[in-house]
Amino acid sequence: MVERAQGIHHITAIGSDPQQLVDFYTGVLGLRLVKKSVNQDDVSAYHLFFGDRTGEPGMDLTFFTFPGVRRGSHGVGQVTLVSLAVPDQALDFWQARLERHGVHHEAVAERFGLPRLRFYDPDGQQLELVGVPVDQLATQASQLWTHADIGTEQAIRHFHSASLSAASLGSVEPILLQALGYERVNQDEHRTLYHLEGQQRASALEVEEAPGGPAGLNASGTVHHIAFGATDEAHQLALRELVLNMGLHPTQVIDRYYFKSVYFRIPAGILFEIATMGPGFTADEDEVTLGERLALPPFLESQREQIEAGLPPVHIPAASTS
């Protein structure tokens, strides 16, 4: 039997202004810019990685940035909500912080037994902070990224889950159950909750069934793809084989330098990725200096001068350093 996937590895979205994203995700949410790189398929665009101290799988929210790109819309065929786990007693802190920074947010509401604070980034990306009991949070304090305004009692720990919108449950569920190893654990009128048994970090998914709902437009403020973790290359190939046997069309393994990737689109229209857990973001930078310079994989290093000339400068706000 093939081992289950290791939960959400990373989620990649599309943004418009790279400096605005850095200011928001580091300065307001308190995440670390762990890698400043480029989209390896379009080097005119930044690929920014925000996470915990070293951007470990399970807390790695990334963005392709295209200045001036049109605003997208959320709908069927997309990951429509990114959920981030925080200690449950920290939601009041976060609500006050979002208000202080002028971030559009909704009232705290409960779903599947947990309180949630939904908010929107500058491009309209939908996110929520999920209040989780401390004993159910997986990230160790030493792995957290904190600064003067956000301490260990408030810091974002890891992905809690992601919500996928589909015209039918049958266009998503088989791949979750049969290939990735999720189990269905709860259901309300329109949403179904899935979980990976025995795992806490980034272990949940929700599927919102929306027959007849409008299709999402993939542009600024929307998720480009969601990646699931594979323990190593052998596990990745085994998961790829399961996907292939389900009649889907996974790519060959692509070396992204910080991890290896396999991509495939599920019948619901959402782009999935299977990514290895390593080697990680310290492969080419020391932990202390992660995110400070433009990092390029070896095959792009010879183009550094041209690539840097085509990118706007981005700096990390001083208040965002640990």
Side-chain angles (χ1 to χ4, degrees), residues 39-97:
N39 181 338
Q40 294 180 15
D41 301 314
D42 179 0
V43 297
S44 68
Y46 273 116
H47 193 178
L48 305 175
F49 299 75
F50 300 96
D52 53 20
R53 182 168 294 276
T54 54
E56 291 299 300
M59 187 56 264
D60 182 16
L61 179 57
T62 93
F63 290 84
F64 299 140
T65 67
F66 302 97
V69 67
R70 66 187 293 190
R71 179 71 66 93
S73 60
H74 305 112
V76 171
Q78 291 180 334
V79 175
T80 52
L81 180 63
V82 177
S83 302
L84 305 168
V86 297
D88 52 5
Q89 74 274 10
L91 280 185
D92 288 344
F93 164 89
W94 280 106
Q95 184 166 349
R97 183 171 179 80

Side-chain angles (χ1 to χ4, degrees), residues 240-308:
R240 182 185 183 277
E241 187 70 16
L242 290 177
V243 170
L244 189 64
N245 291 339
M246 294 182 69
L248 302 180
H249 304 283
T251 65
Q252 296 298 320
V253 175
I254 301 172
D255 190 350
R256 297 300 192 190
Y257 188 61
Y258 306 111
F259 44 82
K260 293 187 176 180
S261 301
V262 169
Y263 301 89
F264 59 99
R265 199 169 293 277
I266 66 171
I270 303 168
L271 184 61
F272 276 20
E273 177 184 351
I274 302 169
T276 56
M277 302 299 275
F281 295 124
T282 56
D284 59 353
E285 293 182 290
D286 291 335
E287 179 184 321
V288 174
T289 58
L290 283 173
E292 293 182 5
R293 67 187 294 270
L294 182 69
L296 297 175
F299 74 91
L300 289 177
E301 191 58 50
S302 64
Q303 304 175 47
R304 174 175 289 276
E305 185 175 346
Q306 305 96 295
I307 290 172
E308 288 184 331

